[in-house]
Amino acid sequence: ETKQVLENVKAILKEANMDFSNIVKATIFITDMNNFAQVNEVYASYFTADFPARECVEVSKLPANANIEISVIASK
């Protein structure tokens, strides 16, 4: 699910003529903090330089029973 979420983010960034290097902040919502290591491994693979500011929050439930949701702020 993390890969799909980040692919969705990638598509949105592309439409705005941006990429992951434009992200300045990310918020990760996960339903089980025990999955953080796996999420972090996939997340890290999408960045090549400085990582943006990030926070990770465990939540009880996400829309459509998803296990992860990522919100980003990007700047040109």
Side-chain angles (χ1 to χ4, degrees):
E1 286 182 54
T2 304
K3 184 175 194 277
Q4 184 58 60
V5 169
L6 289 168
E7 286 296 320
N8 293 348
V9 170
K10 183 178 180 179
I12 293 166
L13 289 168
K14 185 177 180 182
E15 285 296 316
N17 294 316
M18 292 191 277
D19 59 31
F20 283 91
S21 68
N22 295 102
I23 295 175
V24 295
K25 182 178 181 294
T27 303
I28 302 170
F29 301 94
I30 56 177
T31 58
D32 186 348
M33 196 61 79
N34 292 318
N35 295 329
F36 179 75
Q38 295 96 338
V39 167
N40 196 50
E41 184 176 334
V42 175
Y43 178 89
S45 72
Y46 280 81
F47 295 89
T48 57
D50 297 330
F51 286 86
R54 176 181 68 171
E55 60 190 343
C56 184
V57 181
E58 183 178 43
V59 296
S60 63
K61 190 171 184 179
L62 289 167
N65 291 318
N67 293 308
I68 184 169
E69 182 174 306
I70 300 175
S71 171
V72 301
I73 297 172
S75 177
K76 285 189 178 183

